[in-house]
Amino acid sequence: MKISIVLGTRPEIIKMSPIIRECERLNVDYFILHTGQHYSYNMDRVFFSQLELPNAKHNLDVGSGSHGEQTGRMLVGIEKVLRNEEPDVILVEGDTNTVLAGALAAVKLGILVGHVEAGLRSYDRTMPEEINRILTDHSSDYLFAPTEKSRQILVNEGIAKEKIFVTGNTIVDAVFQNLEISKSRRNVLRDLGLDSGEYLLATIHRQENVDNHKRFCNIIDGLERVQKELDLELIYPIHPRAMKHLKILGVEPSGVRLIEPLDYLGFLQLESNSKLVLTDSGGVQEETCILGVPCVTLRDNTERPETLEVKSNVLAGTNPHRIVKKVKLMLSHNNDWTNPFGDGKAGCRIVEILSGDRRS
Ligand code: UD1
Ligand code: UDP
């Protein structure tokens, strides 16, 4: 069996890392195909070096562009590599343009597709990620659903039960594998002059939030109000997309400390010691739930309803007053929920399922 691991953005590198480690451990025949969707050092290379991942065998260097342009360039490049390499199966993770391009290129060549993190739905088709998820799930031969809930969503959409495997989410593996290492190798709190439990953390980058300037201004207003009312430091490692729009707006948030995006060990440390996180990131909603840190999501919906059910997370939308209200609500709760995303062995399960299937 030969596996092609297709990835291209920060969260894919992090969430694929447990699968890559497992392939290395078992000496599986595999290679990494990087689309180059993310390319800045702190959105890409830093994760390969810090997580000690092997270099991508192929990097398409597609970079940024409109959705069609970016996805189209990936499709052409991925097809070429797959024709030459002839893998039995490709693996994609999540909901980015890289994921859709990988799945589409493979399915049209008759190569099996495995979708890691299958069955997530926000039911908001204005999100590019929702379209990518649906199309990828329906092109896949192996659907690795993180939870029973995501499995049920796939079954309800008519996907054959035999194709679906509940494995847990590989983000749990990544957190378990790296949290201890982060404590010994990184001291972000000291570098930033912060005390554990005495600051707030924010990450906001989604297209529907930052490209929409009314929503982004409301979010900034909400962050400023939260910071003022709670009188705690608020740190925001800012994604390049959000930085670009902040510059266009010419806004300098007051009381919000903007820093460069962090490496994974540094971010894990900052996240696990924070009092509360405000975010629109998918991965961060999961990680806070795993780490026992309360989360307020600055969106109107989530494809991670498990976090709402266990009450690690609450939706606040983008109204500044509502953001403050939801932060206070989350701080009044106990942080004693159980992580619904699995036991940290998702990567092993996925590689085992692929290795045990005679088709691949
Ligand atoms: C993409 C994903 C999103 C995911 C996010 C993870 C899609 C449709 N979106 O969004 O689902 O949550 O990655 O972080 O696939 N840029 C840089 N350096 C980089 C990468 C991007 O400066 O390394 C800037 C460019 O100005 C670019 C912008 O960020 O135009 C957006 O990048 P893009 O890859 O299109 O989407 P993301 O917002 O990163
Ligand atoms: N992350 C990081 N450094 C940062 C911000 C986030 O390493 O400065 C990690 C975070 O721990 C999580 C992942 O990036 O694992 C989430 O990626 P992102 O928010 O970009 O994308 P999403 O999950 O929303 O697709």
Side-chain angles (χ1 to χ4, degrees):
M1 174 193 56
K2 181 172 173 181
I3 304 176
S4 169
I5 295 182
V6 179
L7 46 74
T9 68
R10 169 168 78 185
E12 293 159 63
I13 304 168
I14 294 168
K15 286 178 168 175
M16 279 296 198
S17 67
I19 296 177
I20 296 170
R21 284 177 177 163
E22 189 60 10
C23 287
E24 287 283 322
R25 193 178 72 82
L26 297 176
N27 224 355
V28 170
D29 184 12
Y30 84 102
F31 67 94
I32 299 172
L33 196 178
H34 195 319
T35 61
Q37 179 171 348
H38 283 179
Y39 45 84
S40 299
Y41 176 78
N42 57 15
M43 298 297 289
D44 172 26
R45 274 258 37 103
V46 68
F47 300 103
F48 279 87
S49 58
Q50 191 173 60
L51 301 176
E52 296 176 10
L53 302 175
N55 287 333
K57 184 170 179 192
H58 304 273
N59 193 322
L60 305 177
D61 289 323
V62 297
S64 307
S66 69
H67 284 277
E69 196 186 355
Q70 189 181 51
T71 312
R73 281 204 298 263
M74 289 176 191
L75 198 53
V76 172
I78 295 170
E79 185 179 65
K80 270 191 196 135
V81 173
L82 296 183
R83 273 188 195 280
N84 285 334
E85 290 277 0
E86 299 184 332
D88 300 293
V89 56
I90 77 142
L91 276 182
V92 288
E93 191 287 326
D95 53 23
T96 66
N97 288 343
T98 292
V99 173
L100 175 62
L104 216 50
V107 75
K108 286 188 177 251
L109 290 172
I111 295 170
L112 297 169
V113 178
H115 187 200
V116 181
E117 209 177 75
L120 274 64
R121 296 291 181 269
S122 66
Y123 300 106
D124 177 357
R125 287 203 178 215
T126 63
M127 292 176 69
E129 292 86 357
E130 182 75 352
I131 304 299
N132 292 344
R133 287 180 201 118
I134 294 171
L135 296 176
T136 303
D137 280 339
H138 286 265
S139 307
S140 292
D141 302 280
Y142 302 92
L143 294 104
F144 300 113
T147 65
E148 182 50 39
K149 207 175 194 61
S150 36
R151 188 189 80 86
Q152 201 50 54
I153 286 173
L154 295 169
V155 172
N156 293 348
E157 288 183 12
I159 291 177
K161 285 184 180 159
E162 313 82 73
K163 291 184 180 179
I164 311 170
F165 305 88
V166 179
T167 56
N169 194 311
T170 57
I171 195 66
V172 183
D173 313 23
V175 168
F176 287 0
Q177 288 171 14
N178 295 298
L179 190 61
E180 281 310 306
I181 308 174
S182 87
K183 286 178 190 158
S184 60
R185 278 219 235 130
R186 199 71 171 81
N187 203 335
V188 169
L189 268 62
R190 190 193 54 206
D191 296 349
L192 294 171
L194 299 168
D195 292 322
S196 179
E198 298 295 323
Y199 62 90
L200 306 165
L201 175 65
T203 80
I204 297 103
H205 75 281
R206 284 203 177 266
Q207 180 178 306
E208 72 268 22
N209 276 343
V210 303
D211 292 30
N212 179 329
H213 290 181
K214 187 163 183 287
R215 282 178 78 88
F216 200 19
C217 285
N218 274 340
I219 289 174
I220 301 291
D221 187 4
L223 296 182
E224 288 175 345
R225 284 171 192 268
V226 167
Q227 190 280 325
K228 230 179 185 170
E229 287 213 23
L230 270 64
D231 195 22
L232 289 170
E233 281 242 52
L234 199 164
I235 317 294
Y236 179 3
I238 187 161
H239 187 287
R241 177 181 213 118
M243 194 62 207
K244 187 167 79 182
H245 285 279
L246 207 57
K247 280 189 182 146
I248 296 170
L249 279 166
V251 170
E252 278 183 34
S254 98
V256 178
R257 206 162 141 193
L258 301 180
I259 59 170
E260 289 288 314
L262 287 166
D263 56 77
Y264 192 51
L265 298 182
F267 188 79
L268 263 187
Q269 204 174 54
L270 200 60
E271 192 178 23
S272 57
N273 285 288
S274 62
K275 194 173 181 71
L276 178 138
V277 178
L278 298 109
T279 196
D280 62 6
S281 156
V284 173
Q285 289 176 63
E286 292 157 354
E287 282 171 345
T288 46
C289 183
I290 297 160
L291 294 165
V293 174
C295 181
V296 174
T297 293
L298 310 184
R299 287 176 47 192
D300 303 317
N301 52 54
T302 180
E303 55 294 313
R304 273 92 177 167
E306 295 87 350
T307 61
L308 303 180
E309 274 161 26
V310 302
K311 295 192 166 55
S312 68
N313 184 20
V314 70
L315 294 176
T318 55
N319 177 298
H321 302 285
R322 198 171 140 98
I323 294 174
V324 175
K325 201 170 123 196
K326 294 294 179 183
V327 165
K328 288 183 179 165
L329 173 78
M330 284 309 285
L331 289 177
S332 68
H333 286 165
N334 288 334
N335 306 346
D336 56 0
W337 55 80
T338 308
N339 150 40
F341 293 113
D343 58 2
K345 295 184 182 139
C348 299
R349 284 192 193 101
I350 289 166
V351 176
E352 200 175 282
I353 290 162
L354 293 178
S355 311
D357 190 336
R358 275 208 232 112
R359 283 181 304 162
S360 55

